[in-house]
């Protein structure tokens, strides 16, 4: 079974791109804020919530994406250690919703220590409901996942084959497919996890 969510593009970019920013902190550590930006653009474009995006959803541009990122920055502030836990991300995301007067969206932390089968079920349930899944990866013992270390991004699709789960990710303007079974089992004690989104 394969399920891919519709997703937004900005010119030839699959979603937004952290490299577009002139602000050095956003370029280096803005992944948490920009994951929230991408989620909000998705909600405006595909969940009939125009209040989630303060610019023209029908004409997405790099300029407006940078403006939105800087608007989000105070709520999910880049910092020296990054936004390295789920509660900090959720707190900032909720502040943004509150001060932007956006209702009907809520978040739930799904810790990275929970069993793989539960994590797979949570991803499938969310994608089937039409909702992307913000994910935080900290360290991983497998070097093939180095690109995703200490990084926030969105899961926007999945494919089940022979009991395994592959996920489609959106970050840095590209879609990438990953082996979720291997990805979830990081081999480190300190872990990130998922943020499960609900929408009324």
């Amino acid at each position: 079974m394969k399920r891919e969510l519709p997703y937004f593009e900005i010119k030839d970019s699959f979603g937004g791109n952290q490299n577009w920013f002139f602000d050095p902190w956003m370029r280096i550590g803005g992944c948490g804020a920009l994951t929230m930006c991408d989620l909000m653009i998705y909600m405006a474009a595909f969940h009939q919530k125009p209040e989630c995006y303060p610019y023209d959803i029908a004409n997405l541009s790099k300029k407006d994406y940078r403006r939105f990122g800087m608007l989000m920055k105070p709520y999910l502030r880049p910092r020296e250690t990054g936004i390295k836990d789920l509660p900090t991300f959720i707190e900032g995301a909720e502040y943004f919703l509150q001060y932007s007067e956006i209702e009907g969206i809520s978040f739930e932390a799904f810790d990275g220590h929970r069993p793989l089968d539960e994590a797979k079920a949570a991803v499938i349930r969310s994608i089937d409901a039409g909702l992307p899944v913000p994910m935080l990866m900290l360290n991983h013992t497998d070097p093939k996942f180095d690109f995703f270390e200490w990084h926030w991004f969105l899961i926007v699709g999945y494919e089940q084959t022979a009991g395994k789960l592959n996920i489609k990710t959106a970050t840095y303007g590209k879609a990438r497919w990953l082996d979720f079974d291997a990805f979830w089992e990081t081999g480190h004690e300190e872990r990130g996890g998922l943020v499960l989104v609900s929408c009324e």
Side-chain angles (χ1 to χ4, degrees):
M1 180 184 295
K2 187 175 185 179
R3 178 79 183 270
E4 297 177 72
L5 296 179
Y7 204 58
F8 67 94
E9 295 184 354
I10 302 175
K11 294 190 180 296
D12 58 351
S13 177
F14 188 78
N17 192 326
Q18 197 168 334
N19 287 328
W20 293 340
F21 283 80
F22 306 121
D23 182 295
W25 274 107
M26 290 298 283
R27 284 178 64 92
I28 295 168
C31 58
L34 298 182
T35 295
M36 182 61 177
C37 285
D38 290 357
L39 177 64
M40 292 295 97
I41 294 172
Y42 178 89
M43 299 303 288
F46 303 109
H47 272 269
Q48 294 76 51
K49 283 195 164 289
E51 65 273 20
C52 289
Y53 183 62
Y55 309 107
D56 186 354
I57 194 66
N59 294 285
L60 297 171
S61 68
K62 291 182 181 181
K63 178 181 178 181
D64 284 346
Y65 186 81
R66 285 192 293 262
R67 291 167 68 194
F68 194 28
M70 297 308 292
L71 180 67
M72 190 68 71
K73 180 182 177 182
Y75 300 97
L76 288 157
R77 178 179 54 84
R79 58 207 77 189
E80 195 167 334
T81 58
I83 298 175
K84 66 173 189 174
D85 62 78
L86 308 180
T88 300
F89 179 91
I90 291 174
E91 179 181 51
E94 288 176 340
Y95 279 142
F96 172 78
L97 295 181
Q98 177 184 345
Y99 288 107
S100 301
E101 299 183 344
I102 298 169
E103 298 180 345
I105 297 174
S106 59
F107 306 102
E108 177 188 350
F110 187 100
D111 187 81
H113 289 93
R114 291 179 64 174
L116 172 61
D117 286 349
E118 292 182 12
K120 290 162 72 171
V123 168
I124 292 169
R125 186 166 58 249
S126 293
I127 299 298
D128 284 351
L131 294 166
V133 182
M135 182 172 182
L136 170 63
M137 171 57 64
L138 297 177
N139 295 313
H140 205 292
T141 55
D142 191 332
K144 72 183 178 186
F145 298 127
D146 283 355
F147 178 81
F148 287 88
E149 287 203 338
W150 224 260
H151 190 54
W152 282 94
F153 54 92
L154 286 180
I155 301 172
V156 296
Y158 72 83
E159 183 175 21
Q160 283 182 298
T161 55
K164 294 190 67 175
L165 185 72
N166 293 318
I167 56 169
K168 183 180 183 180
T169 66
T171 188
Y172 279 104
K174 293 187 181 298
R176 297 172 175 85
W177 285 92
L178 303 175
D179 176 350
F180 187 73
D181 295 43
F183 197 48
W184 186 254
E185 302 293 353
T186 67
H188 288 270
E189 179 59 30
E190 187 176 29
R191 300 189 182 189
L194 309 173
V195 174
L196 304 180
V197 182
S198 297
C199 179
E200 296 176 3

